[in-house]
Amino acid sequence: MEYLLDAVQMKAADHYTIRQLGIPSLELMERAALSCVEAMEQWRPGRALIVCGSGNNGGDGFAIGRILLEKGADVTLVFAGRMESRTEETIRQMERFKQAGGKVCGTFEPGAYDVVADALFGAGLNRDITGDYLDIVRKMNESEGKKLAVDIPSGISAATGCVMGAAFRADVTVTFQEKKLGLCLFPGRSYAGEVLVSDIGIDSSLITRGRDVCYTVDKSDAKKMLPPRPADSHKGTFGKLLLIAGSRGMAGAAFLSAYSAYRMGAGLVQIYTAEENRTVLQQLIPEAVISAYEEFDREELKTKLAWADAVCIGPGIGISEISRHILNTVLKEGEVPCMIDADGLNLLTSDSRLMKGLSEGKYVLTPHMKELSRLTGRPVEDIKKNRKELLELFAEQYGVTLVQKDACTLVGESGRHTYVNQTGSAAMAKAGSGDVLSGMIAGLMAQGKEPYEAAVLGVYLHGLAGELACERLGDYSVLARDLAEHIGSAVLQIINEKH
């Protein structure tokens, strides 16, 4: 598990390390600078441009400049801050840089360098870049040479990943102690390039205990989350999933979800769908039980709900009155974990009374940005600027696990750390990808995983399957069915993880 901190959280960890553990701030700064220089050495930085601000990020930059001077590099160091605003550490590092023979410049023009280092603002920036600073960022980006950001690209919010007026585009970002949340969320993730996390001795253990800290997982973490597969088992051991999916002309959504649930390990999938889909689904997925309806039958549906270990409702069911009655019955009569996606979410949006039927700890909702906008009444752009905050508010208000789908998907539940997914690729941006994810999460719930963990593991493996499909087929040609086909490969990859 890797924790993702914002600027406030990182500052608290920094202060604790300095004040309580007695590690001098200048010592931490020296370690940070050295780690940046080590990252630069791959580029043989004979000629370097370093742009420094007034804060401690600028102090890191001055220390980087001094170390490069001592290694024989030609260093152009530009101080773009205000002299009266310098921190004590930055004042000390500026003096050390000058004592080493360095010259501090006040301006620069775009040029050709081996490396351009951004030490202008760092993680503490809390307002848009304007005025002369816009021009400085532009000049850094226009300069030739490999680009390195110190801690975080200037202009990227450490909390949201949003661009604050303008931002430095890095090839590599060396971030200190813990990865910053803004380096993992788009568009910040696109500006950061390769992210290297350097352990400089800051103790963040107290901070990461707080529930407001986000996290991500790796393959070894995901391996531990897989449901057990005992040798002495049968199909009932691995759960019965009732999949309510597919209206007239929408058999594909039902197929993709059912197929993905099976690939994820569910023992038995029963598809409850419109009568028109029966024949095609029997042909597409003979492993599934097909139950069809022509009109709403409450008692029949109650029987099927009683049979299931988990329910998934929504993919392709439409927003007809029959679909509305079905969802209402699931909310009132269902007693097992339930996943609501696609048209199920659209039905919730259209009738506020249905939202009141969500009971705490039982439901997983998987909206993409437009669906979440309809659910919350907030514009998509507003959601993108406040993703973590709005996710946590919604999850707490309705007592659900919320999967906030996007290029970087978040998973939240009241009282739990927010999960930030880092797997996946642009190749997954195709119709049906969400149906695959629905089946995967629901398949895990059928196997006994509680909703939050099922959502986290499902999202992680969904992205990993997308990466594997992209490796085989390229960015352009991956279809939703290819994601489902690569679920098994994704699972095998984490099972074979040695660490």
Side-chain angles (χ1 to χ4, degrees), residues 27 47 77 88 96 125 127 130 136 169 200 216 222 255 269 279 290 343 367 393 395 403 406 433 442 447 461:
E27 175 62 27
R47 189 173 182 217
L77 192 145
E88 291 183 12
R96 289 181 177 183
L125 184 68
R127 62 185 184 279
T130 58
I136 291 168
R169 284 193 176 273
I200 62 171
T216 190
F255 162 70
V269 179
T279 301
I290 311 298
D343 285 330
L393 285 172
V403 178
D406 200 29
S433 179
Q447 293 172 75
L461 287 171

Side-chain angles (χ1 to χ4, degrees), residues 48 107 157 163 310 318 324 346 377 417 428 430 446 489:
T107 60
S157 167
V163 175
R324 189 181 307 278
N346 292 329
H417 292 281
M428 301 169 68
K430 293 285 180 68
S489 299

Side-chain angles (χ1 to χ4, degrees), residues 380-391:
V380 170
E381 286 306 309
D382 189 18
I383 295 172
K384 283 183 173 288
K385 291 178 181 177
N386 302 279
R387 292 193 62 190
K388 176 178 178 286
E389 176 187 355
L390 293 180
L391 176 139

Side-chain angles (χ1 to χ4, degrees), residues 206-481:
L206 289 178
I207 308 302
T208 55
R209 293 175 193 172
R211 295 299 182 192
D212 59 340
V213 175
C214 297
Y215 76 102
T216 190
V217 299
D218 59 18
K219 290 173 185 174
S220 60
D221 298 315
K223 180 178 180 179
K224 298 171 186 175
M225 297 168 68
L226 284 170
R229 303 291 288 187
D232 182 17
S233 58
H234 52 82
K235 62 188 177 189
T237 306
F238 304 122
K240 303 184 293 292
L241 173 65
L242 176 63
L243 174 64
I244 304 171
S247 57
R248 184 174 183 177
M250 295 294 290
F255 162 70
L256 288 168
S257 292
Y259 187 66
S260 300
Y262 269 131
R263 285 291 187 190
M264 196 61 256
L268 184 60
V269 179
Q270 180 176 180
I271 306 174
Y272 191 50
T273 189
E275 179 62 43
E276 294 89 344
N277 296 329
R278 182 192 294 274
T279 301
V280 66
L281 287 173
Q282 285 175 332
Q283 294 173 341
L284 284 172
I285 184 161
E287 298 90 345
V289 175
I290 311 298
S291 300
Y293 58 84
E294 292 185 273
E295 58 186 24
F296 176 63
D297 187 330
R298 183 182 182 85
E299 293 306 313
E300 179 187 38
L301 180 55
K302 286 174 64 177
T303 299
K304 296 185 183 305
L305 290 170
W307 166 87
D309 295 309
V311 175
C312 176
I313 180 169
I317 64 170
I319 53 174
S320 66
E321 277 303 305
I322 291 177
S323 298
R324 189 181 307 278
H325 286 310
I326 290 173
L327 178 59
N328 190 44
T329 302
V330 169
L331 295 174
K332 288 183 176 179
E333 304 292 343
E335 296 183 355
V336 295
C338 178
M339 159 118 197
I340 305 176
D341 186 33
D343 285 330
L345 298 172
N346 292 329
L347 288 168
L348 285 177
T349 302
S350 67
D351 190 342
S352 60
R353 293 171 297 179
L354 293 175
M355 291 292 289
K356 296 176 182 178
L358 298 173
S359 54
E360 189 168 353
K362 193 170 78 173
Y363 291 94
V364 177
L365 275 58
T366 59
H368 55 59
M369 286 293 162
K370 287 187 178 179
E371 289 166 340
L372 188 57
S373 177
R374 291 192 289 268
L375 281 168
T376 61
R378 305 285 287 268
V380 170
E381 286 306 309
D382 189 18
I383 295 172
K384 283 183 173 288
K385 291 178 181 177
N386 302 279
R387 292 193 62 190
K388 176 178 178 286
E389 176 187 355
L390 293 180
L391 176 139
E392 292 174 351
L393 285 172
F394 188 96
E396 183 174 2
Q397 180 179 355
Y398 293 103
V400 300
T401 296
L402 186 68
V403 178
Q404 192 188 75
K405 294 189 297 192
D406 200 29
C408 174
T409 294
L410 307 187
V411 180
E413 182 179 283
S414 181
R416 308 287 288 263
H417 292 281
T418 293
Y419 170 70
V420 180
N421 190 55
Q422 296 293 282
T423 59
S425 79
M428 301 169 68
K430 293 285 180 68
S433 179
D435 301 321
V436 173
L437 177 62
S438 296
M440 294 176 72
I441 295 174
L444 287 165
M445 291 197 298
Q447 293 172 75
K449 297 298 293 184
E450 51 97 8
Y452 174 81
E453 279 208 356
V456 170
L457 181 57
V459 167
Y460 178 89
L461 287 171
H462 182 250
L464 184 56
E467 291 176 5
L468 296 174
C470 183
E471 287 176 10
R472 186 169 71 86
L473 298 168
D475 282 331
Y476 293 88
S477 300
V478 173
L479 301 178
R481 73 185 73 172

